[in-house]
Amino acid sequence: MLTKISKATAGLLLLVAAVYTGLVGFLYVGQESLIFVGEPLPEAHQFEFEVPYQEVTIDVDGAALHGLHFRQPDPRGLVFFLHGNGGNLESWTTGVDYYRRVNYDMFMLDYRGYGKSTGEIDSEAQLHADVRQAWNTIAAQYPDKPIVLYGRSLGAALAVQLATDVDPDLLILVSPFESMLTMAQARYPFVPAAAVRYPFRNDLAITKVSAPIVLVHGDYDTFIPLRHSQRLQELAVAPTKLLVIQGAEHNDIHEFRSYTDGLTDALPN
């Protein structure tokens, strides 16, 4: 009887181990499909804006990145905008008129596989190299004007890492996470840290940023809770301000007047 129970227990343990290994393996191999949910656009897609813009192609290793550069006749400076993990430039450029009103140029990039950008994302290092190449291309056009590095959600992870290598006049992080490792462990506590191939350690990178930082977060954000920005503020060594948008969730924060007012007040003259 004991032998039968032992065999049954062993069989159950083996089954649990197999299921666990399969789940971890799926999450490890399929991380790109879970994190990067961009939507492609046909090459012939035409954007329609009421403000002047240029389409920009940036060649990187194995791909061509597509960006939009919104330009004013005599801008105060540039906002280099890194968007979140979904959609593409069509869905992320709904508020471009704001930058016209505050007289700032704005450049926004689509990552590999997003919009008209070619190629596929295959590592965190590749992503950081891509945005650095885009920065080198665009920032060089503004030698005597302030440049604001702006990242939202996933884009905040790219922005904070970029800010450790370049020298923006201001770093704005909207709805950032402490790290993707922290996010993954909260959602999948059974997954070992070593299985997270895109850790995006904002908590480490922010300690190396010397530029002034503005953190913006909605207090109703349940996807990336406010505590992530509060933790990043604690870790930052540069002058840092946290702007809490009352009533804002993760995807609607830009619709609040307090958000746009806060950005306007923060932008360098």
Side-chain angles (χ1 to χ4, degrees), residues 156-217:
L158 301 174
V160 70
Q161 181 62 48
L162 181 59
T164 67
D165 295 328
V166 301
D167 190 25
D169 291 87
L170 176 67
L171 173 64
I172 298 178
L173 304 175
V174 179
S175 310
F177 45 78
E178 181 180 346
S179 72
M180 187 65 77
L181 184 62
T182 303
M183 294 280 289
Q185 290 176 335
R187 285 166 170 73
Y188 309 103
F190 59 89
V191 175
V196 181
R197 292 169 41 232
Y198 293 85
F200 289 117
R201 295 300 303 268
N202 298 343
D203 53 340
L204 300 181
I206 203 166
T207 65
K208 303 174 185 177
V209 174
S210 58
I213 303 169
V214 174
L215 298 158
V216 188
H217 219 115

Side-chain angles (χ1 to χ4, degrees), residues 3 9 12-13 31 40 53 70 83 89 101 116 131 133 162 176 251:
T3 301
T9 301
L12 179 60
L13 291 175
Q31 253 163 82
Y53 74 96
F70 297 87
H83 67 62
L89 291 178
R101 296 198 307 271
K116 295 185 183 182
V131 298
Q133 181 62 34
L162 181 59
N251 292 323

Side-chain angles (χ1 to χ4, degrees), residues 32-115:
E32 284 82 4
S33 62
L34 293 172
I35 299 173
F36 309 112
V37 289
E39 299 175 6
L41 289 171
E43 188 175 352
H45 178 80
Q46 296 292 316
F47 296 92
E48 295 182 5
F49 302 105
E50 295 182 357
V51 296
Y53 74 96
Q54 297 173 346
E55 295 193 55
V56 179
T57 299
I58 298 172
D59 293 325
V60 292
D61 186 19
L65 305 181
H66 179 254
L68 293 176
H69 197 177
F70 297 87
R71 311 194 73 159
Q72 314 300 329
D74 184 22
R76 293 164 55 196
L78 169 73
V79 173
F80 186 92
F81 191 121
L82 296 169
H83 67 62
N85 74 317
N88 51 46
L89 291 178
E90 183 68 72
S91 56
W92 278 98
T93 48
T94 56
V96 294
D97 189 59
Y98 165 77
Y99 297 96
R100 180 195 60 79
R101 296 198 307 271
V102 297
N103 195 28
Y104 256 79
D105 286 358
M106 191 268 279
F107 174 79
M108 190 184 295
L109 178 75
D110 259 340
Y111 315 124
R112 297 186 189 219
Y114 287 65

Side-chain angles (χ1 to χ4, degrees), residues 15-31:
L15 177 60
V16 170
V19 171
Y20 172 79
T21 301
L23 284 173
V24 172
F26 169 76
L27 291 172
Y28 183 85
V29 174
Q31 253 163 82

